[in-house]
Amino acid sequence: MSDAYAVFGNPIAHSKSPLIHAEFARQTGQDMRYAALLAPLDGFPAAVRAFQLAGGRGANVTVPFKAQAFDLATRRTPRAQAAGAVNTLKFEAGGSVGDNTDGAGLVRDLVGNLGLSLADKRILLMGAGGAARGVILPLLEQKPASMFVANRTALRAVELVNHFCSLEGAEGEIQGANLMQGGSYEALAGRQFDVVINATAASLAGELPPLPEDVFAVDALAYDMMYGKDTPFLAFARAHGARTADGLGMLVEQAAEAFQVWRGVRPDTAPVIQMLRNA
Ligand code: ATR
């Protein structure tokens, strides 16, 4: 029988992950299947355990279970540790390895697909929830000139920055210190950024974070982690001269990274992104 994988979420019906992984499997000739499974809000660990006991080899985890997946994993990769959340589980005898491929997916989309170099760039990351936290370490690893984390509740941004400023990298250096700052949107007055990333939930509600009009540097890229429709943030960015991108590439790239974790093969993402754009 083919190897079984699944994505757990609630809701999950509209997940594009089964389509993406089916395409990856076809492309790379991997003998596997991938299902979307609805876990009850109070029954995520039990649902994962049942899937593992039934022979499942690994799982993706989406909203609202990424923090629970972090707790459930018996081992965690450094990038999952930094993110404080797990979106990819690889089952092993007696437990599971928890990984987080969201940040790597974002960086691959920015650098690989959109042709951006993040080195020496000024990054503005909007939001201080799980989505923001999940991408900070991989962004820092690209050696930007600076990273400002802006949040409606400024204290959350400051706390997040403090957390990353106390984290040691692989070589023992502190990754975020000196280049990270956190604060309110008002604190952005008079500052410009080369890359502005929306990791807030504002787009979901059709809202625009309170950005100053002159926040975009010349040739800036505005990136919304949401995908599927134009957002007030992307419209605002376009109106102020920035290039824009939605999160569809990130979605496919985080899936490719998970696929590689499970199968040891890297799928070709470009045709899959194209397929979803045309769908
Ligand atoms: P997630 O895991 O998706 O990051 P979360 O932890 O609930 O979800 O965080 C949502 C983020 O979106 C927060 O940074 C939130 O700001 P607050 O911490 O001030 O609540 C941000 N957010 C939600 N709606 C927003 C809006 N309309 N404008 C700006 N930021 C918003």
Side-chain angles (χ1 to χ4, degrees):
M1 194 134 72
S2 58
D3 293 341
Y5 296 85
V7 56
F8 288 90
N10 188 331
I12 199 64
H14 295 105
S15 172
K16 294 191 191 305
S17 294
L19 185 62
I20 295 170
H21 282 281
E23 202 46 38
F24 288 165
R26 192 191 57 74
Q27 197 192 83
T28 59
Q30 296 286 304
D31 187 15
M32 59 182 274
R33 60 208 145 92
Y34 186 107
L37 298 179
L38 180 76
L41 288 175
D42 61 353
F44 170 72
V48 171
R49 262 195 306 277
F51 180 65
Q52 185 171 7
L53 278 174
R57 303 289 295 268
N60 281 137
V61 180
T62 186
V63 180
F65 299 126
K66 290 183 187 182
Q68 286 189 55
F70 181 88
D71 293 337
L72 176 146
T74 43
R75 292 196 295 144
R76 298 175 194 106
T77 62
R79 60 189 183 179
Q81 201 70 45
V86 158
N87 79 334
T88 301
L89 289 164
K90 185 178 183 185
F91 300 142
E92 56 183 17
S96 56
V97 183
D99 198 358
N100 191 311
T101 66
D102 286 331
L106 172 64
V107 168
R108 276 197 174 264
D109 196 32
L110 289 170
V111 176
N113 300 334
L114 300 169
L116 210 71
S117 164
L118 294 171
D120 299 322
K121 294 286 161 57
R122 294 160 292 178
I123 299 178
L124 169 59
L125 181 64
M126 297 190 285
R133 181 172 169 171
V135 299
I136 290 177
L137 185 64
L139 287 172
L140 287 177
E141 285 170 351
Q142 296 297 305
K143 308 267 182 240
S146 63
M147 185 191 295
F148 194 105
V149 180
N151 199 44
R152 207 169 44 175
T153 314
L155 184 62
R156 282 186 87 191
V158 171
E159 283 172 357
L160 194 58
V161 164
N162 287 343
H163 168 75
F164 277 90
C165 286
S166 65
L167 274 188
E168 273 187 21
E171 292 100 40
E173 94 247 45
I174 306 293
Q175 307 243 8
N178 305 324
L179 63 93
M180 282 186 90
Q181 239 185 305
S184 66
Y185 288 96
E186 291 79 56
L188 299 173
R191 299 182 62 154
Q192 278 77 44
F193 297 88
D194 306 297
V195 184
V196 181
I197 301 167
N198 187 7
T200 73
S203 297
L204 283 173
E207 291 167 356
L208 174 70
L211 279 172
E213 305 222 338
D214 61 351
V215 74
F216 301 104
V218 175
D219 289 332
L221 176 82
Y223 193 99
D224 203 317
M225 287 198 199
M226 194 172 116
Y227 60 85
K229 64 173 181 209
D230 200 30
T231 67
F233 165 61
L234 293 183
F236 175 85
R238 265 198 311 276
H240 293 90
R243 280 201 294 152
T244 59
D246 75 356
L248 187 69
M250 175 179 172
L251 174 78
V252 175
E253 294 296 341
Q254 64 76 30
E257 195 80 13
F259 191 88
Q260 184 167 26
V261 165
W262 294 326
R263 310 301 296 185
V265 205
R266 180 140 212 114
D268 185 5
T269 50
V272 181
I273 295 172
Q274 204 51 50
M275 179 189 82
L276 292 174
R277 284 238 182 269
N278 297 337

